[in-house]
């Protein structure tokens, strides 16, 4: 999936008046008073109407300018984002579908994606079709955001603590103990992997696999140390004590930097939903294939941790999904449980079966369960935002 | 299987009465999905194939039925040149994956047919347990094929609880169909194996010319054609009195698949005369070695300089209906090349597909005879094998296989 960089968030949560963007919706209501044509040019922002009856509004935005544009429906304070469509290229059209209760709003086209945009007032008059927006919805959203933030912060704390222990053991040559701690420490990384990976500068320094490297790129981080702790049988020169210290300190420094940034992050509910989907994609592309931990074969620890993170993110938004698409919620709950049953079967006293000890049939079953979960999970974000 | 196949019985020229053989009105290259029989059996064989076998991963009968319904709807749409889902590949919300994958945008229906089959393991698992409450309806003939001499089966290319045969004149359309059906199935089924075929090796209509297999010989000369309505009735469709347990299969057929690898490089070193003796026909016209033209009946008694002019181990003789009580098959096989093997040889051959009314009389004895005494076997290796029951067609509002679950 496309990686979104989550940096300290400036945009308000646009969810109370749930919105979706469409490239083209169903045309059944075109021409009615709730469909507004918007033409964005380099200097102008023309709307076919300046008011509409309350209900589900469709803004059909066409970019006739020469730059990429955006369109916003803002609250009467001109700050709160009720709905937005971004990245509309020249000569392209996008739809913004948004539930708007009666009130005054501000519309804005933002050609070039800079500045305050070209703004105008927009009025939504009271009609019989008030969208049902309860205070409960907002509460559910707030709760989900708070819980997820706390979860990520806690995992990041634990990652720092375990990494500290791990690098100490490694630096001091206590290899057996370091090997034992390696998968347990990485669990905290894997649980928040999509957040950690959103920092494009840190991720390659901390989690690059040997096969990911470009010609000439220096290899550092977890997997560099993994190879030194589980060296190939032939053709490998163990790292010197000095080199060990360098890689260990480098990993520690980066982990602390990551933690500082993570503690400042806030999230939107769609980011949480996308994070859940993203973690399952990590499982499908790296863990179920045994490519993540090619030296230690501790892929199932990572697998479980990705699933943990995905489930926590899902459970955070589950009350919202239950309201909007109860069937999807049931399916997701069942399929998370089915996948967990397969993982439980691989649990051992010290953790999990090593990947290279799994039979082809067991890998196949895990892969089937990941596919079974991932397909409905791809509907999660849209369901949460609907 | 190969060139001569099941020799030319006199076929009656006539019209196919079955709706599945005729293009639907409005779209020249679209075949109706619904009808008395499933399309993709007597339909004039299209040029390309994507065939997939699935394992059912759920224990829920309701989920299995829901999938068969979803597959029926999607197949109905795609065979008419429409997207797999009712929104389409580019008309949906930007925050949802599209309900059609999009690679068939701008392509016509391309003669697409989608044919479903049910394997013996759908009825009973390896321990004989009834999986979905349908074991008492398992047809007697629907069971794992026996081991045949020269079978070197790869379990990962054999068997399956369900199968889907997608045939089209455009390979992208066939692949699009399987891909979208597989996607609908995640959580209920998992792909067990799939096979691409790039060129048809059979004709199922007298309107088609006889294609060649990778041995370079015309194949399917004597195949059952849609126009032979009597033969189709007698040899392809399951009839009401065939099997008391399998009333739901009446109007359906049994579908045999065999992945037959050819040792291409060795074959190519055989002198032309030897190749023709292995097959029993000439390479140029496909006429039997006893003379005439492609569609002449072979004369197995005609003497040559050493024994009969059509040798005793010639393929055309070994598999001829006269040697098997008149048994014939409707074949719709495809040439395949799956790249090259580790030693640089072509990983290629014939993906054999046959539809028969009764595999016990129309496939198993013929395959045994071939494996035992056919000269071609020297150059063949069977690497995949499966048997399915293809239910009758679904009428409007029905789903494929409905009679099995609800009648």
């Amino acid at each position: 999936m496309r990686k979104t960089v989550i940096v300290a968030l400036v945009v308000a949560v646009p969810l109370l008046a749930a919105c979706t963007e469409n490239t083209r919706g169903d045309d059944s209501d075109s021409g009615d008073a709730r469909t507004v044509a918007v033409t964005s040019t380099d200097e102008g922002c023309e709307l076919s109407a300046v008011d509409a009856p309350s209900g589900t509004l469709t803004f059909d935005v066409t970019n006739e300018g020469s730059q990429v544009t955006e369109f916003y429906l803002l609250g009467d304070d001109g700050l709160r984002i009720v709905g937005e469509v971004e990245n509309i290229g020249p000569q392209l059209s996008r739809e913004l579908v948004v539930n708007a209760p009666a009130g005054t709003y501000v519309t804005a086209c933002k050609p070039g994606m800079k500045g305050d945009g070209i703004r105008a007032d927009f009025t939504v008059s009271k009609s019989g079709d008030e969208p049902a927006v309860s205070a409960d919805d907002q509460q559910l959203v707030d709760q989900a955001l708070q819980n997820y933030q706390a979860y990520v912060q806690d995992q990041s704390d634990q990652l720092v603590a375990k990494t500290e222990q791990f690098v100490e053991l490694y630096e001091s040559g206590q290899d057996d103990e370091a090997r034992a701690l390696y998968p347990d420490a990485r669990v905290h990384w894997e649980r928040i992997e999509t957040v950690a990976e959103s920092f494009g500068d840190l991720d390659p320094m901390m989690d690059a696999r040997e096969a990911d490297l470009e010609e000439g790129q220096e290899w550092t981080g977890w997997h560099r140390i993994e190879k030194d702790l589980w060296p190939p049988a032939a053709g490998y020169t163990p790292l010197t004590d000095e080199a060990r210290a360098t890689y260990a300190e480098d990993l520690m420094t980066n982990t602390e930097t990551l933690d500082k940034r993570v503690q400042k992050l806030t999230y939107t509910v769609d980011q949480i939903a996308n994070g859940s989907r993203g973690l399952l994609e990590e499982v499908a592309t790296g863990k179920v294939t045994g490519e993540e931990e090619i030296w230690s074969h501790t892929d199932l620890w990572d697998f479980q941790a990705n699933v943990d993170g995905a489930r926590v993110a899902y459970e955070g938004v589950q009350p919202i999904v239950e309201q909007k698409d109860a069937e999807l919620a049931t399916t997701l709950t069942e399929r998370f449980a089915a996948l967990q049953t397969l993982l439980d079967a691989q649990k051992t006293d010290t953790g999990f079966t090593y990947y290279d000890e799994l039979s082809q049939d067991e890998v196949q079953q895990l892969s089937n369960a990941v596919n079974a979960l991932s397909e409905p999970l791809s509907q999660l974000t849209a369901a949460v935002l609907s | 299987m190969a060139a001569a196949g099941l020799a030319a019985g006199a076929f009656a020229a006539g019209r196919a009465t079955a709706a599945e053989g005729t293009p639907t009105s409005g779209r020249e290259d679209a075949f109706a999905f619904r009808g008395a029989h499933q399309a993709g059996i007597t339909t004039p064989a299209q040029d390309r194939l994507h065939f997939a076998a699935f394992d059912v991963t759920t224990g829920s009968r309701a989920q299995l039925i829901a999938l068969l319904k979803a597959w029926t709807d999607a197949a109905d749409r795609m065979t008419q040149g429409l997207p797999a889902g009712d929104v389409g590949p580019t008309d949906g919300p930007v925050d949802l994956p599209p309900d059609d994958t999009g690679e068939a945008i701008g392509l016509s229906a391309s003669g697409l047919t989608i044919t479903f089959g049910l394997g013996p393991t759908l009825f009973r698992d390896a321990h004989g347990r009834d999986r979905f409450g349908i074991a008492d309806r398992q047809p007697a003939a629907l069971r794992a094929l026996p081991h045949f001499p020269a079978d070197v089966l790869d379990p990962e290319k054999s068997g399956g609880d369900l199968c889907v045969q997608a045939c089209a004149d455009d390979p992208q359309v066939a692949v699009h169909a399987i891909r979208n059906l597989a996607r609908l199935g995640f959580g209920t089924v998992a792909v067990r194996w799939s096979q691409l075929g790039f060129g048809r090796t059979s004709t199922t209509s007298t309107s088609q010319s006889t294609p060649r297999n990778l041995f370079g010989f015309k194949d399917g000369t004597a195949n059952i054609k849609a126009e032979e309505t009597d033969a189709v009735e007698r040899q392809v469709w399951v009839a009401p009195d065939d099997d008391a347990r399998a009333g739901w299969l009446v109007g359906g057929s049994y579908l045999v698949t065999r992945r037959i690898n050819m040792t291409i490089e060795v074959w190519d070193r055989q002198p032309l005369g030897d190749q023709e003796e292995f097959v029993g026909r000439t390479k140029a016209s496909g006429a039997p070695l006893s003379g005439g033209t492609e569609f002449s009946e072979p004369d197995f008694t005609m003497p040559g300089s050493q024994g009969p002019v059509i040798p005793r181990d010639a393929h055309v003789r070994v598999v001829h209906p006269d040697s098997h009580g008149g048994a014939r098959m409707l074949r719709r096989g495809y040439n395949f090349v799956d790249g090259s093997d580790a030693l640089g040889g072509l990983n290629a051959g014939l993906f054999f597909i046959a539809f028969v009314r009764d595999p016990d009389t129309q496939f198993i004895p013929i395959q045994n005879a071939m494996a035992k005494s056919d000269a071609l076997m020297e150059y063949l290796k069977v690497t995949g094998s499966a048997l399915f029951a293809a239910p009758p067609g679904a009428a409007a509002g029905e789903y494929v296989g409905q009679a099995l679950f609800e009648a």
Side-chain angles (χ1 to χ4, degrees), chain B residues 204-287:
Chain B
T204 52
S205 167
T206 51
S207 63
Q208 295 182 295
S209 63
T210 312
R212 289 177 187 269
N213 61 28
L214 292 182
F215 282 154
F217 278 75
K218 286 190 176 177
D219 203 338
T221 295
N223 200 23
I224 296 178
K225 311 281 200 292
E227 290 82 355
E228 298 175 77
T229 49
D230 285 351
V232 169
E233 284 302 325
R234 274 185 291 109
Q235 310 251 14
V236 179
W237 306 130
V238 173
D241 296 331
D242 286 3
D243 185 341
R245 292 194 291 182
W248 60 272
L249 189 57
V250 172
S253 190
Y254 290 90
L255 194 181
V256 183
T257 70
R258 306 272 290 167
R259 186 176 187 275
I260 304 172
N261 272 79
M262 296 171 166
T263 41
I264 298 281
E265 292 76 11
V266 181
W267 172 264
D268 292 346
R269 293 172 198 133
Q270 306 308 312
L272 177 60
D274 288 6
Q275 292 185 9
E276 293 184 331
E277 292 200 343
F278 296 150
V279 173
R281 291 181 179 271
T282 66
K283 200 166 188 177
S285 72

Side-chain angles (χ1 to χ4, degrees), chain A residues 19-26 94 334-335 360 364 368 371-373 375-376 378-383 385, chain B residues 55 57 63 87 89-98 156 182-192:
Chain A
C19 62
T20 27
E21 308 168 31
N22 284 14
T23 47
R24 254 182 55 197
D26 67 302
R94 291 261 161 146
E334 280 171 12
R335 294 192 181 173
Q360 187 53 39
Q364 181 70 56
N368 289 350
N371 281 330
L373 173 58
E375 196 65 32
S378 70
Q379 319 277 325
L380 180 65
T381 308
L385 294 183
Chain B
D55 285 333
T57 54
Q63 271 187 43
V87 176
T90 57
D91 286 349
V94 294
D95 58 0
L96 264 183
E156 290 181 9
R183 193 174 166 218
L184 284 169
F186 284 123
T188 310
V189 293
V191 174
R192 181 179 175 88

Side-chain angles (χ1 to χ4, degrees), chain A residues 200-276:
Chain A
D201 54 342
L202 291 176
D203 178 49
M205 294 192 285
M206 297 176 71
D207 199 35
R209 296 169 296 189
E210 194 167 15
D212 297 335
L213 302 176
E214 283 173 46
E215 188 78 27
Q217 184 186 345
E218 198 197 352
W219 186 26
T220 60
W222 283 105
H223 296 298
R224 180 66 194 90
I225 298 174
E226 179 202 359
K227 187 175 183 179
D228 197 47
L229 284 171
W230 284 271
Y236 178 78
T237 315
L239 294 177
T240 61
D241 288 352
E242 201 182 7
R244 277 192 171 210
T246 308
Y247 288 120
E249 280 155 29
D250 175 73
L251 177 62
M252 197 60 235
T253 309
N254 286 330
T255 305
E256 281 162 353
T257 308
L258 173 72
D259 181 54
K260 271 191 209 118
R261 295 193 200 169
V262 164
Q263 299 298 335
K264 284 186 219 149
L265 285 182
T266 57
Y267 309 90
T268 57
V269 77
D270 56 323
Q271 285 170 343
I272 297 175
N274 276 332
S276 183

